[in-house]
Amino acid sequence: MSPPSGQRRRVGVLISGRGSNMASLIEAAQDPAFPAEIAVVISNRPGAPGLARAEAVGIATETIDHKVFGDRASFETALGDGLARHGVEFVCLAGFMRIFTDPFAERWVGRMLNIHPSLLPSFKGLHPHRQALGAGVRIHGCTVHFVVPELDAGPIVAQAAVPVLAGDSEDTLAGRVLAEEHRLYPLGLRLVAEGAARLERGRTVYADGAATTLGLRPDAR
Ligand code: GRF
């Protein structure tokens, strides 16, 4: 399925750190058939390693340092201006470590995605792998979801599961989940950018064929 307008959707990726999920989105978008292009990468942390990774492949970057703003709302105004400068229609949070005010999150509802390294609604917030090991779950994973004002609580777009293995540390478990994140986030963005997954009345609604895009059985939801 191609984007409704026949145009590729312009995506802004927000990062705070190394940017490996950002890199997986950039790589997916290098395929001209992918329904989105990465218009800009914005970091709230000066010198975040992901910025150099994006610049190395010719993607526009900006740094909007939250520390130079007096409050959250003025930081978000600058962020909104940065996204507008690049004509951004959809936003992907990729290791972006700031929490939005409700009005900013609401402005982007249905057009902003996040990836969280757990099978939501389990293990929201910080240290999800530590939480998973502590809870003794046997299956862990990652979730792409629409962003809503409440942290890690938005409607789910896509999930992938990994086993928790005997002897796992936070690091080994994080590595196994991260490999799935890199596969899943481009698939989630693809669905949303082409209109095959939409947020309607607080729920994710899928078009026919969305499950197949995700590599699931056709009747999966
Ligand atoms: C990823 O595990 C992501 O799910 C989480 O923070 C980590 C960021 O990694 N929100 P990277 O910057 O994408 O490499």
Side-chain angles (χ1 to χ4, degrees):
M1 198 188 292
S2 50
S5 61
Q7 297 286 316
R8 304 176 83 205
R9 299 303 199 171
R10 291 181 68 77
V11 171
V13 182
L14 304 188
I15 64 166
S16 299
R18 75 188 155 181
S20 70
N21 277 294
M22 169 212 77
S24 77
L25 296 173
I26 290 173
E27 193 186 332
Q30 276 166 349
D31 177 355
F34 193 76
E37 60 184 302
I38 308 306
V40 66
V41 170
I42 300 179
S43 172
N44 69 303
R45 286 222 184 104
L51 289 170
R53 286 180 89 160
E55 282 159 17
V57 289
I59 305 285
T61 66
E62 295 207 16
T63 298
I64 302 178
D65 182 355
H66 65 279
K67 292 207 186 99
V68 309
F69 297 91
D71 57 24
R72 216 177 273 271
S74 51
F75 165 66
E76 289 172 350
T77 299
L79 191 56
D81 290 349
L83 293 168
R85 270 196 293 284
H86 294 272
V88 166
E89 305 168 86
F90 289 91
V91 170
C92 288
L93 307 182
F96 184 69
M97 302 301 286
R98 302 300 297 166
I99 292 171
F100 294 126
T101 64
D102 290 5
F104 188 84
E106 273 153 15
R107 203 166 312 137
W108 285 93
V109 160
R111 299 183 298 135
M112 183 183 277
L113 295 174
N114 182 41
I115 189 157
H116 183 75
S118 76
L119 291 173
L120 290 172
S122 293
F123 315 134
K124 296 175 180 176
L126 293 175
H127 308 303
H129 308 304
R130 192 180 305 169
Q131 293 185 55
L133 290 172
V137 295
R138 301 298 192 267
I139 304 287
H140 187 39
C142 53
T143 304
V144 175
H145 64 93
F146 287 110
V147 173
V148 297
E150 193 187 336
L151 185 69
D152 297 332
I156 291 165
V157 174
Q159 292 187 304
V162 303
V164 180
L165 302 181
D168 259 340
S169 64
E170 270 186 69
D171 282 352
T172 58
L173 185 54
R176 194 174 307 121
V177 172
L178 192 63
E180 285 301 302
E181 292 183 52
H182 296 162
R183 190 184 63 78
L184 192 71
Y185 211 174
L187 292 176
L189 174 58
R190 167 184 289 279
L191 287 182
V192 171
E194 68 190 6
R198 294 186 319 280
L199 183 53
E200 278 180 20
R201 287 184 292 277
R203 307 218 18 126
T204 303
V205 176
Y206 298 97
D208 288 348
T212 310
T213 302
L214 291 168
L216 303 172
R217 24 183 297 181
D219 56 349
R221 61 176 294 276

